[in-house]
Amino acid sequence: MSGFFHFWREFFYSPTNAFVSQGVSYEWSWFWSMLIGVLVIALPLMLAVAMIIYADRKIWAAMALRRGPNVVGPWGLLQSFADGLKVFLKETIIPTSANKGLFLIAPIVTFTTALIIWAVIPFAPGVVLANVNVGLLYVLAASSLGVYGVIVAGWASNSKYPFFSALRAAAQMVSYEVSIGFVLICVVLYANTFNLSGIVMAQQGHKLWGLLNGFGFNPLLFPMAVVFLISSMAETFRTPFDLVEAESELVAGHQTEYSSMSFALFWLGEYGNVILMCALNAILFWGGFLPPLDIGFLYWIPGIIWLFLKMGFFFFCFSWVKATVPRYRYDQLMRLGWKIFLPLSLLFVVLISGWLMFWRYGAAA
C-alpha cells in the first residue's frame, strides 16, 4: 500500500520518473506521462467551458434582473450540455460556393490554438505540462495563431459578412497584440525570466515590506495590469470589443455560415481563450498560484485553488463588462489601441527599465 501511495505522489510531481521507477523505458514513460498530462488538462477544460458559459449567462441575467438558465437540471446547471447535444445533432451545412477544405479547417484551428497554450500554464509549484524557459514567448506566439481561424473562416465562407469580420479580426488582433507585447516586456524586466513559473515566484513578497504577492501591487506595474486586462478582452473579441461578430452589422461575423459541431468548435475556442486570458492575468500580475499575502498559513491552501479563485474573479470582470458596457465603434476601438495603449505601454517600458537600471543594477555598481 505504501508503494502505491509513493507512486502516485511521485506521479503528481514527475510522472515520467514514476513510470521509470516501475520498469517502463524512458521513451514510453515520457509518452504516457505527456498523454496523461494532456488529457488531465484538456478534459477538465472542456467541462470548464460548459460551466463558464452557464456562469456567463447567469451573471448577465442577474445584472439585467432576470433568472437566466433555470430549467435543465438543478438550477439550470445542465443547460450548456443540452445546448451542446442540440448542436451535435444538427446537420453540418457547407455553402456550395465555399472552399470546403478551408471552411472545415478554420474551426479546428481556433479550437486547437485555444488548447495548446495550456501546456506551459503552471497550476501549482512544479505542476506544469511543459516547464520551458521561454514559456511567455510560447504564449505570445501561439495566441497569435488564433486569429488565423477567424480569417480563414471569413475567407473560405465566400460570403460578404464573414469576410468583413475576417478583416476586422486581423486589424484588431494586430492593434492590441503590439501593446500586449510591450506589457509583457515590463513583466519580464521585473521578473528577469520568460519562464511562467519563475514569473510567479518573482512576485512572492513583492511589495509592502514583503507582505503582498503580485506585480499588480507595484505602482509601476499596476497600469500595465489594467492595460493587459482590457487588451485581453480585445484579444478574445469580448464586449465592448466584439466588432468581429457584431450582430447588428455582420449577422454572426465569421460564424454566419457555420452550423452543427463546426459552430460549436468556435464557441469552445472562444471560451477556452477567455479562460486562458483569465489565467494569464492572474499569473503575470497577481501572483498566480501564490496566495495574495505572503503569510505562512495561507500556503496551507493548495496553489491551484488560489489560481482558480483569481481566474474566477477575472472571469466575473469579463462578464460584468459584457453585461454593462456598450460596444465601441470601430474608430474608437482602433484609437484606444494605437493612440492610448501603444504610447502608454511604450512609456512604461522606458520608465520600468530606467527604474530597474537605477535601483537594481545601479546599486550593484
Side-chain angles (χ1 to χ4, degrees), residues 50-71:
M51 290 290 82
I52 69 162
I53 292 175
Y54 167 80
D56 221 5
R57 296 173 65 180
K58 276 292 190 182
I59 293 170
W60 303 340
M63 292 190 177
L65 298 181
R66 295 184 289 104
R67 295 184 65 186
N70 58 72
V71 175

Side-chain angles (χ1 to χ4, degrees), residues 73-358:
W75 306 290
L77 284 170
L78 300 180
Q79 182 65 55
S80 295
F81 299 100
D83 292 340
L85 178 62
K86 179 185 70 174
V87 171
F88 179 74
L89 295 176
K90 286 184 177 294
E91 179 186 2
T92 300
I93 299 173
I94 302 175
T96 54
S97 59
N99 184 315
K100 184 175 181 180
L102 293 178
F103 185 85
L104 294 176
I105 287 173
I108 298 173
V109 170
T110 301
F111 176 68
T112 305
T113 53
L115 285 181
I116 59 175
I117 305 175
W118 288 93
V120 297
I121 298 296
F123 295 95
V127 183
V128 55
L129 185 63
N131 193 26
V132 294
N133 291 331
V134 290
L136 196 56
L137 286 179
Y138 173 83
V139 168
L140 192 61
S143 62
S144 303
L145 298 175
V147 72
Y148 285 105
V150 179
I151 293 173
V152 170
W155 186 86
S157 296
N158 198 17
S159 178
K160 176 173 61 177
Y161 292 135
F163 185 67
F164 287 159
S165 173
L167 294 178
R168 287 186 175 187
Q172 184 170 327
M173 184 71 77
V174 170
S175 301
Y176 285 87
E177 283 217 339
V178 174
S179 56
I180 282 181
F182 284 124
V183 170
L184 297 183
I185 289 174
C186 296
V187 173
V188 170
L189 286 171
Y190 251 101
N192 211 22
T193 178
F194 282 96
N195 181 273
L196 289 178
S197 297
I199 290 173
V200 172
M201 297 312 297
Q203 300 176 58
Q204 187 170 12
H206 182 65
K207 295 304 288 182
L208 198 62
W209 303 289
L211 187 62
L212 300 175
N213 293 330
F215 285 150
F217 297 110
N218 187 322
L220 276 176
L221 285 172
F222 178 74
M224 294 296 94
V226 175
V227 169
F228 187 81
L229 175 61
I230 298 173
S231 297
S232 60
M233 293 179 186
E235 284 283 294
T236 51
F237 309 123
R238 295 278 291 190
T239 306
F241 306 102
D242 58 338
L243 275 299
V244 171
E245 47 190 271
E247 70 282 349
S248 59
E249 306 161 20
L250 303 180
V251 186
H254 58 281
Q255 307 170 26
T256 301
E257 304 293 344
Y258 283 88
S259 62
S260 187
M261 285 307 294
S262 56
F263 176 80
L265 285 178
F266 275 120
W267 270 78
L268 289 171
E270 178 183 333
Y271 275 92
N273 280 325
V274 169
I275 301 175
L276 174 69
M277 284 300 178
C278 293
L280 287 177
N281 274 280
I283 288 169
L284 296 176
F285 291 99
W286 302 103
F289 51 74
L290 297 175
L293 301 176
D294 194 22
I295 301 175
F297 70 89
L298 291 177
Y299 288 91
W300 298 347
I301 301 174
I304 193 170
I305 294 178
W306 287 118
L307 178 62
F308 286 169
L309 288 174
K310 294 171 185 177
M311 289 169 60
F313 170 76
F314 284 112
F315 180 73
F316 175 78
C317 292
F318 272 62
S319 297
W320 186 4
V321 168
K322 182 161 186 171
T324 55
V325 180
R327 181 181 294 132
Y328 276 8
R329 295 196 315 268
Y330 202 74
D331 61 302
Q332 294 173 324
L333 178 84
M334 291 291 108
R335 184 175 70 237
L336 180 66
W338 290 107
K339 291 187 176 182
I340 299 175
F341 282 178
L342 177 58
L344 184 65
S345 57
L346 189 56
L347 172 65
F348 271 85
V349 169
V350 175
L351 289 176
I352 289 171
S353 56
W355 174 265
L356 291 175
M357 285 298 294
F358 182 75

Side-chain angles (χ1 to χ4, degrees), residues 5-17:
F5 286 115
H6 174 74
F7 170 79
W8 285 108
R9 185 171 63 250
E10 187 175 9
F11 179 83
F12 184 76
Y13 290 103
S14 180
T16 303
N17 292 339

